[in-house]
Amino acid sequence: MKIVSACLAGVECRFDCQSKERQFIIDLVKEGKAIPVCPEQMGGLTTPRDPSEIQGDKVLSNKGKDVTAQFNKGAQEALKMALLTGADEAYLKSKSPMCGCDEIYDGSFSGAITNGDGIFTKLLKEHGIKVNSVD
Ligand code: SF4
């Protein structure tokens, strides 16, 4: 089984109520090979919501609100889905502070990127689940 970012499967769960659907992700879900999750929503954040980025050991919205707790909670809940389904691999949305893999927005809300993983990606990797970045 695979875990995929729900926004890649066409769910309008991004901060701006948009999705980033990719057909091969939708096909994986339709074939019963993947489970979509949105860890930001699972942590209790609303949709729409202010965009957030990682700054040091915190996650802050563009208005300075500390949403670290919601990010950590959502990542833990989405991890449960991965463990329950025996997922060994994930396909997650690039650059997101939650789902980004190897590169994420740098915390300046300027569109600039830096090396690093989103909160959910980091947790999956710690549990031995392979993460693939989908742009
Ligand atoms: Fe998509 Fe992940 Fe952001 Fe949810 S948390 S909108 S699944 S990138």
Side-chain angles (χ1 to χ4, degrees):
M1 186 58 71
K2 303 174 196 320
I3 289 291
V4 297
S5 295
C7 56
L8 295 172
V11 179
E12 295 173 352
C13 54
R14 283 164 48 96
F15 71 95
D16 55 2
C17 288
Q18 301 291 306
S19 67
K20 281 281 178 184
E21 65 178 51
R22 298 290 180 265
Q23 191 58 48
F24 83 99
I25 297 289
I26 292 171
D27 291 344
L28 283 174
V29 175
K30 282 186 174 173
E31 291 162 9
K33 295 175 181 166
I35 302 284
V37 298
C38 177
E40 289 188 27
Q41 287 187 334
M42 293 172 83
L45 294 171
T46 60
T47 307
R49 55 189 172 275
D50 294 326
S52 300
E53 296 190 4
I54 294 174
Q55 295 182 12
D57 59 357
K58 292 187 171 172
V59 188
L60 301 177
S61 79
N62 63 344
K63 292 182 181 156
K65 185 179 173 197
D66 188 339
V67 289
T68 311
Q70 291 93 328
F71 267 67
N72 287 334
K73 171 72 174 166
Q76 288 289 345
E77 291 304 307
L79 173 66
K80 280 187 198 169
M81 299 288 283
L83 298 178
L84 278 170
T85 58
D88 57 359
E89 193 175 18
Y91 288 82
L92 303 184
K93 176 69 186 72
S94 64
K95 304 184 195 110
S96 152
M98 187 63 104
C99 293
C101 180
D102 296 335
E103 55 179 28
I104 52 173
Y105 292 116
D106 72 352
S108 64
F109 295 98
S110 66
I113 57 172
T114 187
N115 293 335
D117 290 327
I119 304 293
F120 182 44
T121 298
K122 187 165 178 284
L123 195 59
L124 288 182
K125 286 183 174 179
E126 286 169 3
H127 284 77
I129 297 171
K130 180 172 187 265
V131 180
N132 304 285
S133 181
V134 179
D135 205 17

